[in-house]
Amino acid sequence: MNVIVIGGGASGLMAALTAARNGHAVTLLERQSRVGRKLLSTGNGRCNLTNLHVAPVHYHGLSPDFVRPALDAFDTEAALAFFHGLGLLTVAEDSGRVYPYSDQAGSVLDVLRFAADAAGVITRTGFEVEQLRRTKHGFAVSSAEETLAADRVIVCCGGMAGGKLGGTRSGYLLLQSMGHNMTKLYPALVQVKTDTTYVKALKGVRATGELTLCRGRDTVAESRGEVQFTEFGVSGPAVFDLSRSAAVEKPPLTLHIDLLPRLSAADTEALLRQRAALMPELTTENLLAGMLHNRLGRTLLRYAGFGLTEPVAALGAAERQRIAEAIHDFALPVTGVLGFDGAQVTAGGVRTDEFDPETLQSRLVPGLYAAGEVLDIDGDCGGYNLQWAWSSGHLAGQLRP
């Protein structure tokens, strides 16, 4: 059977390789000059290729349980066995995140490319698909210069995220031209913009904390881990975990950061009281030295309404309590998120109820399949999105009727 896979990213490479290993004649079409460009940037260039804790609970969309058949058929263990079979060595961190032992995303892409070539996949780069249509015998896939015929087509064009690395609307447009419908698109796994009154002075500072995204008194999302302050807001893994909610949920939203989550506010106030007693000559500028990053400590004092020259010996219980509360509830009004160019993943996509979750074949157009980010599925930060790419690409590549 003659199969065309549109899109040479993670899901497309997996779909093409799977179909070729099942005996089909496969052509992989990629509009950029090389395949896997976005894959090279994942995990800050390290490629967090999966997670030991993959489960449907880590996925989102109108019907997140849509992922279950694909994940059951090709789970983390199967994905790791697959890559080990290609010669890739991997290492798992305590968090469950799995990386190539080389710490280079290029290692993952290389073994996929070599395997696809060995399986007979014909890769065409610089081929931008502009039209997809049904024919009497299958499908016609056309660029501006030529048209290719196929018995089956798998659309793996990815989403809008990372436009500078190849993010595109093309997959959505192709599937819409075949009668499919979409949900609204949002940036996800993206930096969150906040009021900059205090964060601008913290650009580059990293901290560990507990984050709570709220609308008034209602909690919208929670996370814990590393936060990096930027000139326009916050970034880092813990921020990415709740950035989808920051993009999707109705404003106004406020991000509350507990910068000493292992201590209670009362414990922190006691530490401040002890420090003032031991070193009464200190000024407030150095009150939090040794507890938090110096710039962060000074910013929190200003946030709590203090200058930097008051003697700590003059601070009473109420003042120390106010400082402790600032440390445990650094509240930043959210003003939005960065756009798709700064996002790692697209939330939303082609409606999954128009595809069979057991095969990923279109319910509207027999012989048409889709996999990966183009569908209305997005995962949490930590390797979940790449596992969806592997699992969905593998399932679509089976070309089951």
Side-chain angles (χ1 to χ4, degrees), residues 162-379:
K164 293 179 180 178
L165 297 173
T168 175
R169 295 187 66 92
S170 63
Y172 308 128
L173 297 175
L174 291 174
L175 289 170
Q176 283 181 310
S177 74
M178 301 299 287
H180 282 283
N181 297 286
M182 289 176 54
T183 68
K184 191 171 182 179
L185 304 179
Y186 300 92
L189 301 192
V190 65
Q191 300 179 34
V192 174
K193 296 191 291 185
T194 70
D195 179 276
T196 59
T197 303
Y198 298 102
V199 300
K200 188 173 289 189
L202 296 174
K203 181 181 178 181
V205 173
R206 298 173 186 266
T208 299
E210 285 186 351
L211 282 63
T212 307
L213 185 67
C214 297
R215 184 188 302 106
R217 295 184 178 181
D218 297 329
T219 296
V220 171
E222 297 176 296
S223 66
R224 181 171 186 161
E226 183 182 285
V227 179
Q228 180 178 348
F229 294 94
T230 71
E231 60 184 344
F232 52 78
V234 286
S235 183
V239 174
F240 288 165
D241 281 339
L242 49 69
S243 63
R244 186 187 201 277
S245 297
V248 173
E249 294 288 341
K250 184 178 179 180
L253 300 170
T254 302
L255 181 63
H256 299 266
I257 307 177
D258 182 347
L259 291 158
L260 286 179
R262 295 183 180 180
L263 300 177
S264 67
D267 292 334
T268 301
E269 193 277 330
L271 284 176
L272 298 179
R273 184 174 67 248
Q274 181 183 45
R275 170 162 287 193
L278 290 173
M279 292 176 279
E281 72 285 355
L282 284 180
T283 60
T284 48
E285 180 179 10
N286 297 308
L287 176 62
L288 302 181
M291 299 171 64
L292 296 169
H293 188 288
N294 287 343
R295 260 196 290 155
L296 180 56
R298 291 193 290 268
T299 297
L300 286 169
L301 286 163
R302 288 195 293 268
Y303 172 79
F306 293 91
L308 301 179
T309 58
E310 295 97 324
V312 298
L315 297 176
E319 287 79 15
R320 291 192 301 268
Q321 184 63 34
R322 202 161 87 229
I323 296 169
E325 289 173 354
I327 293 170
H328 289 282
D329 187 12
F330 186 28
L332 301 172
V334 173
T335 60
V337 298
L338 286 191
F340 285 105
D341 279 353
Q344 295 184 17
V345 175
T346 304
V350 178
R351 291 182 62 96
T352 53
D353 58 0
E354 297 174 352
F355 288 82
D356 182 349
E358 299 291 339
T359 63
L360 297 186
Q361 181 174 212
S362 167
R363 298 186 190 275
L364 309 181
V365 185
L368 177 65
Y369 299 75
E373 192 179 342
V374 73
L375 294 167
D376 176 28
I377 292 293
D378 61 285

Side-chain angles (χ1 to χ4, degrees), residues 75-94:
D75 59 11
T76 300
E77 185 177 354
L80 290 176
F82 167 82
F83 280 106
H84 294 163
L86 300 185
L88 184 76
L89 299 180
T90 60
V91 60
E93 297 185 343
D94 291 342

